[in-house]
Amino acid sequence: MLEDRSYMRENPHRSRWSANAVVMVAIVVCFALQNIATFYLRYPVGEYLALSKQGVQNGFVWQLLTFQFLHAGLGHIFGNLLGLFFFGRSLEARLGTKEYLKVYFLSGFAGGLLQLALMWIWPEFYGQFVVGASAGVLGIIAAFAIMDPEGTVMLNFLIPLKLKYLLYIELGISLFFTVVPAGNVAHAAHLGGILMAMGYIRWSMHRPSVEWNPLKARQRKRELVQAASKAVRWRQRSAATPELPSEEFISREVDPILDKISAHGIHSLTPREREILEAARAKISKR
């Protein structure tokens, strides 16, 4: 039956919030608590939650996570939130929530580890501690650029720039200032986050025995049917649409179309295929 397929059923427990939105809200809340604790309570937030050589030596391994939710000021947090707003939600839509969170936090961990290693070796050049979501954010941007290198962004809202060139610029800046450290910016953390995201996405695309294609995931197919039928906005269902049993209709008609969308995009669909998607949406809505 149609409803027997997990990706064709409505999930009553599904949150209306995207993971990207939750991450952004968590960053803002943590920044507010960080400043309140520091100013009013005189609590040594940095000592326990910022990533530092001394903290890790004392066994504060949670700092590899908590440092990603602390920020050095309004400009710092605003830049990271801006990156998540423009790139995070789009990447999550492409990858799905689980893979999005993997990319974000693995990039943050990798960036923290690289910065920590250099702090350990050359503390006079790489500082005593690091805070900020930049490693994860730059990982998100790098992942998006790997998946859509020909996509275009408006640099400073004025200059059109292809994502692959944006990636080259960010990678070059991070690498140069990791080799030649200057200022208070954790460029090594940025570099670690970028490299982790690039490696993870490329590995995911070519990992053996698993075809990397998030849109083929069963739990995503129902969402895709709904989104695709809305996008094509096909108003009338043709009288020629075959009345097949639900299970056969899905396997014979809908699954190949979803595969085609995941491989070539929704604009590759023929009028007939768009009609079939609308028929699938109608079956779902009648349940």
Side-chain angles (χ1 to χ4, degrees):
M1 295 294 292
L2 183 64
E3 57 271 18
D4 292 334
R5 297 195 174 214
S6 61
Y7 57 84
M8 299 300 285
R9 293 197 297 266
E10 191 71 45
N11 182 1
H13 305 293
R14 183 182 168 194
S15 173
R16 293 183 180 181
W17 284 48
S18 67
N20 185 66
V22 172
V23 169
M24 292 178 67
V25 169
I27 288 173
V28 172
V29 170
C30 288
F31 180 69
L33 293 175
Q34 170 192 347
N35 284 275
I36 291 171
T38 301
F39 186 79
Y40 289 104
L41 305 179
R42 299 293 190 267
Y43 184 81
V45 175
E47 180 179 341
Y48 292 104
L49 302 180
L51 180 61
S52 66
K53 170 186 172 182
Q54 187 64 38
V56 173
Q57 284 179 325
N58 290 335
F60 303 161
V61 292
W62 59 80
Q63 291 181 349
L64 282 166
L65 174 64
T66 56
F67 89 94
Q68 301 179 51
F69 292 92
L70 305 181
H71 287 83
L74 285 175
H76 191 199
I77 190 175
F78 179 75
N80 285 329
L81 290 174
L82 203 63
L84 285 175
F85 179 78
F86 284 111
F87 292 95
R89 56 180 181 171
S90 298
L91 186 69
E92 184 180 357
R94 291 192 175 209
L95 288 178
T97 297
K98 183 178 179 181
E99 291 298 312
Y100 162 82
L101 290 174
K102 281 184 181 179
V103 172
Y104 179 75
F105 284 110
L106 284 175
S107 297
F109 290 144
L113 286 173
L114 181 57
Q115 186 75 26
L116 179 64
L118 293 176
M119 285 193 296
W120 211 296
I121 299 169
W122 296 295
E124 65 272 25
F125 297 115
Y126 292 94
Q128 300 299 319
F129 66 94
V130 61
V131 295
S134 303
V137 173
L138 286 174
I140 292 295
I141 296 173
F144 196 83
I146 292 294
M147 296 177 63
D148 188 15
E150 299 300 322
T152 302
V153 295
M154 298 301 292
L155 189 63
N156 292 328
F157 302 101
L158 294 173
I159 306 170
L161 183 69
K162 287 189 175 181
L163 284 170
K164 61 182 179 182
Y165 299 131
L166 177 63
L167 176 58
Y168 297 154
I169 292 171
E170 290 181 343
L171 186 59
I173 292 174
S174 298
L175 179 59
F176 179 81
F177 285 108
T178 296
V179 176
V180 186
N184 296 320
V185 179
H187 290 287
H190 297 176
L191 179 63
I194 292 171
L195 293 178
M196 170 56 76
M198 292 174 63
Y200 182 80
I201 293 297
R202 291 192 183 280
W203 171 78
S204 296
M205 294 172 69
H206 301 99
R207 56 185 157 185
S209 73
V210 177
E211 183 180 0
W212 184 81
N213 204 331
L215 293 178
K216 283 187 177 182
R218 292 175 67 88
Q219 65 270 23
R220 297 273 294 161
K221 285 190 175 181
R222 184 188 183 281
E223 298 173 14
L224 186 56
V225 170
Q226 295 280 24
S229 61
K230 288 179 181 178
V232 299
R233 298 188 182 281
W234 209 252
R235 295 186 177 183
Q236 294 183 344
R237 181 180 170 189
S238 169
T241 301
E243 289 295 338
L244 298 173
S246 296
E247 184 70 19
E248 186 178 355
F249 175 69
I250 294 296
S251 61
R252 279 183 51 183
E253 302 289 346
V254 178
D255 284 352
I257 295 175
L258 298 181
D259 293 342
K260 183 176 180 180
I261 293 175
S262 66
H264 304 291
I266 195 169
H267 298 296
S268 66
L269 298 186
T270 65
R272 173 61 177 163
E273 289 167 338
R274 295 167 184 249
E275 208 169 68
I276 292 173
L277 276 180
E278 178 61 21
R281 186 204 60 76
K283 284 178 177 288
I284 295 169
S285 64
K286 289 179 179 179
R287 290 187 299 107

